Amino acid sequence: MKTAELFVRCLEREGVEYIFGLPGEENLDVMDALVDSDIRFVTVRHEQGAAFMADVYGRLTGRAGVCLATLGPGATNLITGVADANMDHAPLVAIAGQASTNRLHKESHQVLDLQNLFRPITKYSSRLLTPAITTEVVRKAFKLAQSEKTGACFIEFPENIAEMPIEDEPLTVRQPVAPEPPADRVEAAAAAISAANNPIILAGNGVIRSGACEALADFAERMNIPVANTFMAKGAIPFKHPMALGSAGLQAKDYVSCGFDQADLVLCIGYDLVEYHPYLWNPNRSNHLIHIDNTPAEVDAFYSVDVGVVGDISHSLRRIGELATPRAGRFARPLRRALIEDMNEHAEDTRFPVKPQKIIWDLRTAMQLDDIAICDVGAHKMWMARMFRAERPNTCLISNGFAAMGIALPGAIGARLARPGVNVVAVTGDAGFLMNAQELETAVRLGVPMVVLVWNDAGYGLIEWKQMNAYGRTSAVDFNNPDLVTFAESFGARGYRIERTEELLPTLREALADGGVSVIDCPVDYSENLKLTEKLGDMVCPL
C-alpha cells in the first residue's frame, strides 16, 4: 500500500472521525486514501476555519481535532487556529502536504520549512522523511496532543513520501494516566487550608480538561471555600453552586476581585497562567498559593507557589479534603449576592439598541443548560464571561489564552459535529463574524443546525472601550457592515434582524427550534461598556 494509505489507517486507529480542511495538489494521495475510509472529510472555505473547527472539536471531545492543508499558503493559513489550540490547550493535530523531498533543500515554488515554522506554536512538529517512520510520528503526535497539558501538534507530509510503498501496521493507542499526588504535598496543602482564614479557589480550564468538575464542586462545598473561575473554566463549577463567585479576568476591580483582595490563601486548581495573569490578582506577590494540577507550576514572578500538588486533580482534591479542616462562615457570600443582582438588573429592560446585559439574559433564557455557546473575541466576550450563567462544563467556550478573533462561527461547526444532540450558538461581534463568515456556506452545505448571534455595533467595540478608558477618544475603530440578513440568505441561511428589544427572545427561540442555520443581527448598545468601567472603578467591595 502507499504511505498515504498507511497514514490514513493510523488516523483511523487514533479514532479520528472528521478531518477539516482543503484538498490541494500536495495532499492528493491522502485525499484519495480518505475516499475508502470511514473518516469524514469536511471541506471548508478557508484553512483558518478548518483549524478553528478542529480546535473546538478537540476542546469538547478531549480527542485531537484534525485539520489538513496543502503546502505554502494553505499551511500558513492554519497558523492562527493552531496557535489558538496550543495556547488554549485544546488537543489538535494539524497536517500539511509538502513538496517532494528533492525540492526541500533549495528555493522552490510555494516551499517553506513548515516543520520549523510550526515548531514554536506546537508541542511537537515533525516531517515524514521516510515511509518507515509514519506509524511512530502519527502516534507521537496524537499522544502529545492529548496528554496534559493538551495542545497542538503538526505533521509535514511530502508528496513523494505519500506515494511510496510501505508494509506496516498502525501502533496500538495508549495514553498515559495522571499520577497519584505525593502524600507529603497533600498533607502540606491540607495543613495550609486548615490554617487559612479566608481561602479562595481559582479554577482554571485544566479542571474541565481533566474531568474534575464534580470533584471541584464537592471539595468547595465540603471545605466551604468560594470558587472563582477563569473565562475558560466557565461551568467548571455550576453557577447555582453556593460557593460559585463567577468569572475572574475582567482586568478591572470586579466583585470577584474583592475576594482575592481579602483572601489569605489562593488554591489554583487546573489553572493556566495564559487564562488570567497572576499579576492581575496577586499584584503585591503577597498571597500564599497552592498549585493543584496535573503538571508543575509555570515559573512567574507573581506566581510563587507555597505548595505544589501534582497529580490527578480529582484524586488530589479528594485526598486533601479528607485531611483539611473545613472553614467556618462564608466571607464571600455578599460578593455572590451582588453579582447576581447585577445579572438580574436588566431582565426586563426594553431600551433599544439592546443592552449587553439584556442580550445575555435572553440568550440564557432561550438556551437549555446543555446547549453550547461559542464566544468570539471582542467586547461581547467580556460581557459573556461576566454575565452568562454556565451550569455545565464546556457549555460556554471562550478563547482567552490566544484570544483569536474569528473563532465563533467555524468553532460552532466543530461543536455541532462533536455534540450533535445539543443546540450551538456562535456569539460574535460583527467584526469577528465577518472574519470567517465564508464558513456559513460550510454549515449550510453540511446541514449543521446552528445560530449565529451577531452583536452589531459597526466597530471594533473592545478597542474603542480601551481607547476611551486610556485617552478619552477613539482611533480607526469604525467600519460599515453589509446587510447581514441578505448576506445570510445569500448563503442559504435564515436571516433575522432585531428592531425592537422585545423581539430578541422569541427570535432566539425560533432560530434554535427551526433546525437550520440562522444569523441574528442584533444592534447592541455599547455605551454600557464605559458605564461598567465607571461602576467597577467606583465600586466599594461589599465585604
Side-chain angles (χ1 to χ4, degrees), residues 19-22 40-47 49-50 53 409-414 417 436-450 491-493 517:
I19 297 177
F20 306 95
L22 279 170
R40 183 179 178 187
F41 190 83
V42 177
T43 304
V44 302
R45 303 307 302 269
H46 192 282
E47 292 89 351
M53 291 175 202
L409 172 52
I413 296 173
L417 294 175
N436 275 311
Q438 73 281 347
E439 302 305 340
L440 273 177
E441 188 278 328
T442 305
V444 172
R445 171 168 33 90
L446 295 176
V448 177
M450 55 186 286
F491 285 96
V517 178

Side-chain angles (χ1 to χ4, degrees), residues 149 271-274 278 291 293 295-301 303-305:
K149 295 181 179 181
Y271 160 71
D272 303 321
L273 269 64
V274 295
H291 173 87
D293 203 354
T295 55
E298 178 63 271
V299 174
D300 188 278
Y303 195 65
S304 182
V305 173

Side-chain angles (χ1 to χ4, degrees), residues 322-340:
E322 290 169 357
L323 299 177
T325 302
R327 58 175 303 281
R330 293 185 177 179
F331 88 92
R333 181 179 288 176
L335 304 178
R336 174 175 170 80
R337 186 164 53 245
L339 180 59
I340 291 173

Side-chain angles (χ1 to χ4, degrees), residues 308-338:
V309 183
V310 177
D312 182 88
I313 293 176
S314 294
H315 290 177
S316 296
L317 293 177
R318 292 189 188 104
R319 290 178 57 187
I320 293 170
E322 290 169 357
L323 299 177
T325 302
R327 58 175 303 281
R330 293 185 177 179
F331 88 92
R333 181 179 288 176
L335 304 178
R336 174 175 170 80
R337 186 164 53 245

Side-chain angles (χ1 to χ4, degrees), residues 185-201 219 222-225 264-267 269 290 292 307 309 316-317 319-321 323-328:
R185 297 296 82 198
V186 169
E187 292 167 2
I193 293 168
S194 299
N197 293 315
N198 292 326
I200 189 172
I201 292 170
F219 177 83
R222 180 175 181 174
M223 293 292 103
N224 199 25
I225 301 176
D264 56 354
L265 177 67
V266 182
L267 286 74
I269 305 176
I290 296 178
I292 302 173
V307 181
V309 183
S316 296
L317 293 177
R319 290 178 57 187
I320 293 170
L323 299 177
T325 302
R327 58 175 303 281

